[in-house]
Amino acid sequence: MDRELLGDLSTLLAVTEEGNFTRAGHRLGVSQSAVSHTIRRLEDKIGVRLLNRSTRKVTPTDAGEQLLAALRPSFQSLGNRIEEIRTLGERPSGLVRVASSVPATRDILWPVASQLVRDYPDVRIEISSEGRLSDLAEDRFDCAIRLGEHLSPDMIAVPVGPQLEMAAVASVDYLARRGTPKHPDDLEAHDCILMRHRSDGPVYDWEFEIDGTEVVKKLGGPFILNDPGLVIEAVRAGHGFGYLPLPEVRADLDTGRLRRVLAAFCPPFDGYHLCYMGRRNLSSALRLLIDRLRSARS
């Protein structure tokens, strides 16, 4: 295999993992146009189209998926072996500061971090699970775990979790008093518990998909909160609807404490990503955490 083809295949993997050319470019340290040119060159070499392109997302064709199925385990094995060789001369050590949220820490970060510090006792991990969108440089974080929709274009982002769905939920008592909405427009007649991720940021609008088109609803209610846990408490208390990632409310749905509405208008979207500011001067401990989180997802 020639060197250029190996690089092109690596670019194909990055594009499919990131979902578009721009984020793949940030990850690889090249421009969006360079990524696009590489994919066209690879498709010309192989003689088939490998990716479906749209304004919102890039997805593999059937031929692309067959190629990726062969590439993923090979590249993963190669990456693991390179990491093993690299750590022979540099034992990972030091502190890694991670900004996260309670659900992202519980479901994504903690299982990996717990094992990592056992394997590498010289590594320390500080986790802030406040859930707010921290400025990594200003708040001195090495990295953050965020939903895909909260990524900044200047960040390198690595997918570390599956796709998610948002869930509009309310208590049984609230639905009995106020009725059940059948369409996102019906929420305008209801109380909604809103979130603001940063004190100086906007209130988070609720996004739905209607007939294939994204629709943003600006709603109102008795509370604006910055803690998903408090949103759930307010919903349980019957103050109105909450709008949260499905895993955060699944336990309440399973017990019947809360009920979900409008599920047909909440399609899957890109889930959690580990994001950081650049590839240069990453500590050995941070590189190790990135590799472990990427491996845990695959």
Side-chain angles (χ1 to χ4, degrees):
M1 182 183 296
D2 65 75
R3 186 181 305 172
E4 184 179 72
L5 180 58
L6 186 63
D8 292 352
L9 292 172
S10 178
T11 299
L12 175 66
L13 273 175
V15 170
T16 55
E17 288 174 356
E18 297 295 342
N20 64 50
F21 290 163
T22 300
R23 288 206 296 269
H26 287 308
R27 172 172 160 181
L28 297 170
V30 299
S31 67
Q32 181 268 345
S33 60
V35 173
S36 180
H37 173 75
T38 298
I39 295 301
R40 285 197 303 270
R41 181 176 64 202
L42 178 61
E43 290 176 327
D44 290 342
K45 284 181 180 178
I46 296 176
V48 295
R49 186 160 56 91
L50 300 173
L51 297 176
N52 293 314
R53 301 156 172 87
S54 71
T55 57
R56 297 185 61 186
K57 189 153 185 169
V58 176
T59 58
T61 63
D62 289 342
E65 193 56 63
Q66 291 180 43
L67 178 58
L68 288 164
L71 286 178
R72 289 187 184 109
S74 299
F75 270 77
Q76 185 62 58
S77 176
L78 179 61
N80 290 342
R81 183 56 56 89
I82 290 173
E83 179 61 28
E84 290 172 3
I85 294 171
R86 182 172 61 191
T87 57
L88 290 176
E90 180 186 3
R91 186 71 177 174
S93 62
L95 174 67
V96 179
R97 302 187 72 239
V98 187
S100 185
S101 63
V102 171
T105 299
R106 180 191 62 228
D107 299 335
I108 305 295
L109 178 58
W110 180 252
V112 170
S114 178
Q115 185 60 48
L116 189 153
V117 297
R118 288 192 178 98
D119 295 341
Y120 296 89
D122 293 332
V123 172
R124 295 174 295 134
I125 301 176
E126 179 179 340
I127 302 171
S128 174
S129 297
E130 295 177 345
R132 64 188 183 91
L133 298 180
S134 302
D135 183 302
L136 298 189
E138 182 178 330
D139 296 332
R140 297 184 297 109
F141 285 107
D142 298 296
C143 60
I145 296 183
R146 294 178 179 172
L147 293 175
E149 62 190 40
H150 297 317
L151 298 175
S152 299
D154 58 342
M155 290 180 174
I156 296 173
V158 179
V160 292
Q163 285 195 315
L164 297 175
E165 295 177 28
M166 294 300 290
V169 295
S171 68
V172 176
D173 172 68
Y174 179 89
L175 293 174
R177 287 186 287 110
R178 301 287 298 273
T180 300
K182 305 298 184 184
H183 189 277
D185 290 345
D186 298 338
L187 290 171
E188 295 174 10
H190 285 269
D191 292 330
C192 298
I193 313 303
L194 306 180
M195 286 196 66
R196 190 193 306 271
H197 294 286
R198 295 179 64 110
S199 59
D200 58 349
V203 172
Y204 177 73
D205 295 324
W206 295 13
E207 299 173 356
F208 298 92
E209 189 171 297
I210 301 174
D211 297 329
T213 301
E214 184 178 278
V215 175
V216 177
K217 303 300 295 183
K218 295 184 179 294
L219 303 166
F223 291 108
I224 300 175
L225 306 170
N226 70 347
D227 179 353
L230 283 178
V231 173
I232 295 173
E233 288 296 329
V235 174
R236 288 171 180 165
H239 289 294
F241 281 97
Y243 194 59
L244 296 144
L246 183 57
E248 297 186 34
V249 295
R250 191 181 300 279
D252 285 292
L253 294 174
D254 290 343
T255 62
R257 191 172 188 178
L258 300 180
R259 289 185 181 170
R260 185 182 184 187
V261 302
L262 306 175
F265 300 97
C266 301
F269 62 95
D270 288 344
Y272 288 111
H273 292 65
L274 180 77
C275 56
Y276 52 101
M277 295 307 299
R279 294 187 179 279
R280 293 185 177 180
N281 301 320
L282 296 184
S283 70
S284 58
L286 177 55
R287 288 185 184 276
L288 180 62
L289 178 62
I290 293 168
D291 291 341
R292 286 288 183 96
L293 285 167
R294 183 185 286 125
S295 297
R297 178 178 181 263
S298 60

